[in-house]
Amino acid sequence: MAIGFSETSMMLQLINQPAPEKMFHDHYAFYSSTSNYMARHFKDFADEVLQSGYLTIKDPFVLELGCNDGIMLRNFAEKGIRHLGIEPSLNVAAEANKHGVRILSEFFTEQLAESIVQEQGMVDAFLAANVMCHIPDIVGVVKGIRRVLKPTGVVMFEDPYLGDVVSKTSYDQIYDEHVFLFSALSIQYLFGLHGMDLIDVLPQKTHGGSMRYVLAHRGAYPVKNSVTELIARERAQGLDRLTTFKTFGANVEQSKRSLLILLKELKSQGKRVAGYGATSKSTTILNYCGIGLDLIEYISDTTPIKQGKFTPGMHIPVVPYETFKANPPDYAVLFAWNHAEEIMAKEKDFISAGGKWIVHVPEVRVL
Ligand code: SAH
Ligand code: TMP
């Protein structure tokens, strides 16, 4: 897997990505609602949209891209607000449907935007979380957004933030689904090419550091100071320059060396090490570092569809959470480090029984 950076578009992206149909289908493995913290986050997000003042008062229409199991849209459905979720993965879409969420099970494209406008009208708010960065034809998505959004409408979407990936060396955000890692610079450039303004940015704690971008048709709303300030910070951090990513690459190699030294040392001391959370991120770490069964005996995960399977490439067994509880290791590698707060609160017993966490961001260490 290789990544590239363009100093023109200031975009960091994968060079190759598998076909979307190979990743998003009727047995997509990620269910958003496995995290209680994320459920709260999306309830707050929905409330912020409703209180933002951007929606028309009479019969507002909200569209969400990649709504998954309805973690955010169920908050609109419960209030009887007109909404539509676009979700190509049938298994998670069915779950959303159970929560009263209206779904169109398709990939979002410019053509789909046209048919939504024809059949249901334009939208007040176009929402998305952790999905814009998944879509290789991002230009098609931006054109679709421009078509479907009312003249007074707003786009609000969030994704893992490039600034955090660079400052924390969290290279595990780079995997097949994440074709892009966005910054305010790249989003402003991309949407600017299509007549849209970045009007606000709101940093988020989720997924190890995310950014929420607010956009609108050009001139519809003033650009907030938050945008100008973040753009200046990004230039100071070097997110507009290739050299920054060369340094990032060297930091990634150092992170790999440190993790391997630690795991091999623990192995030589006869310690048992397991993984916590069979995340997509862990697939990058395991394969890039070459960590297999010799160093990690299993990875536990609460998602039923992941259990009883093996991690892609390194073939470490993914076991139910109950296995971790019944047979805890001496050390657990926190692959779901973005959920650290929630997990630490839940796993006090593991610590009091002498268990220890291994984290790799912002640097490899034992907690
Ligand atoms: N918004 C949720 C889910 C993120 S996972 C959350 O933040 O937790 C990404 C979701 O986007 C998956 O459910 C996937 O099926 C969906 N998706 C992928 N490509 C898409 C596309 N082109 N259009 C709409 N949804 C897409
Ligand atoms: P994510 O990092 O992409 O959100 O995926 C988190 C994964 O970790 C998901 O497969 C569910 C799993 N998980 C647990 O096993 N236990 C937990 O307490 C949490 C929050 C997540």
Side-chain angles (χ1 to χ4, degrees):
M1 178 186 289
I3 53 172
F5 177 76
S6 155
E7 287 193 341
T8 306
S9 62
M10 295 164 285
M11 192 72 88
L12 189 82
Q13 69 183 87
L14 299 186
I15 303 296
N16 295 301
Q17 199 198 27
E21 295 77 13
K22 280 189 148 181
M23 296 185 284
F24 311 113
H25 36 49
D26 58 3
H27 52 283
Y28 181 58
F30 177 74
Y31 284 73
S32 300
S33 297
T34 42
S35 159
N36 295 327
Y37 179 86
M38 291 308 292
R40 271 201 307 283
H41 170 76
F42 284 117
K43 184 178 182 311
D44 293 346
F45 191 162
D47 286 343
E48 285 165 42
V49 174
L50 289 169
Q51 287 153 21
S52 65
Y54 291 121
L55 304 188
T56 50
I57 312 235
K58 194 167 162 277
D59 190 26
F61 182 23
V62 174
L63 185 141
E64 192 196 352
L65 201 61
C67 67
N68 200 273
D69 57 13
I71 190 166
M72 172 143 69
L73 277 186
R74 62 182 73 170
N75 297 291
F76 293 93
E78 279 161 13
K79 293 191 168 70
I81 290 165
R82 198 150 67 90
H83 65 274
L84 180 66
I86 312 292
E87 179 46 73
S89 297
L90 287 169
N91 57 329
V92 292
E95 197 57 35
N97 214 255
K98 281 191 211 154
H99 288 89
V101 173
R102 280 184 66 228
I103 299 279
L104 204 53
S105 234
E106 310 242 11
F107 288 94
F108 184 76
T109 58
E110 201 182 353
Q111 290 82 342
L112 189 73
E114 183 60 42
S115 69
I116 294 170
V117 173
Q118 297 303 330
E119 288 159 28
Q120 312 192 36
M122 296 169 108
V123 305
D124 293 88
F126 184 101
L127 311 178
N130 308 303
V131 56
M132 293 284 282
C133 72
H134 289 47
I135 307 180
D137 182 15
I138 193 74
V139 170
V141 171
V142 175
K143 288 180 175 169
I145 290 177
R146 209 174 50 174
R147 178 71 190 97
V148 81
L149 193 69
K150 283 184 187 170
T152 54
V154 286
V155 181
M156 294 188 200
F157 77 89
E158 58 190 41
D159 279 296
Y161 177 54
L162 180 62
D164 284 299
V165 171
V166 169
S167 67
K168 296 176 187 164
T169 318
S170 48
Y171 66 93
D172 53 350
Q173 291 288 7
I174 301 167
Y175 53 83
D176 281 346
E177 285 89 336
H178 284 178
V179 67
F180 301 107
L181 283 171
F182 298 133
S183 60
L185 283 163
S186 60
I187 289 301
Q188 188 180 53
Y189 179 83
L190 169 68
F191 281 79
L193 290 177
H194 301 277
M196 297 188 73
D197 289 338
L198 177 62
I199 58 169
D200 199 4
V201 283
L202 301 136
Q204 307 292 319
K205 285 205 286 182
T206 50
H207 291 303
S210 295
M211 190 61 68
R212 185 178 303 164
Y213 305 94
V214 185
L215 299 115
H217 290 291
R218 182 156 300 148
Y221 297 101
V223 175
K224 296 203 171 154
N225 287 340
S226 56
V227 174
T228 328
E229 285 163 15
L230 183 60
I231 294 279
R233 280 206 300 281
E234 290 186 352
R235 289 198 190 278
Q237 195 188 353
L239 299 187
D240 55 351
R241 290 187 293 281
L242 183 62
T243 49
T244 305
F245 300 100
K246 296 216 159 132
T247 309
F248 170 69
N251 293 342
V252 171
E253 283 169 20
Q254 180 55 45
S255 173
K256 170 182 178 171
R257 279 194 292 274
S258 305
L259 184 58
L260 283 173
I261 288 170
L262 174 62
L263 293 179
K264 285 178 183 165
E265 171 64 22
L266 293 174
K267 181 81 189 177
S268 73
Q269 293 171 10
K271 302 290 186 199
R272 290 180 51 223
V273 180
Y276 195 105
T279 56
S280 309
K281 293 184 287 297
S282 68
T283 302
T284 295
I285 301 173
L286 298 173
N287 286 282
Y288 172 68
C289 299
I291 297 167
L293 265 175
D294 51 332
L295 296 174
I296 291 189
E297 65 179 70
Y298 65 76
I299 302 184
S300 96
D301 198 290
T302 52
T303 316
I305 199 172
K306 294 188 181 182
Q307 298 161 357
K309 306 220 170 58
F310 295 86
T311 65
M314 297 312 289
H315 300 170
I316 297 174
V318 180
V319 303
Y321 174 57
E322 291 67 34
T323 305
F324 175 84
K325 291 300 270 183
N327 188 20
D330 300 310
Y331 289 78
V333 185
L334 188 55
F335 287 124
W337 59 272
N338 46 312
H339 300 289
E341 217 175 285
E342 178 171 0
I343 292 170
M344 303 279 171
K346 191 160 83 180
E347 300 300 350
K348 296 209 170 84
D349 290 354
F350 171 60
I351 298 299
S352 50
K356 292 198 166 58
W357 294 107
I358 296 173
V359 293
H360 68 285
V361 281
E363 67 257 340
V364 174
R365 62 190 200 281
V366 175
L367 297 185

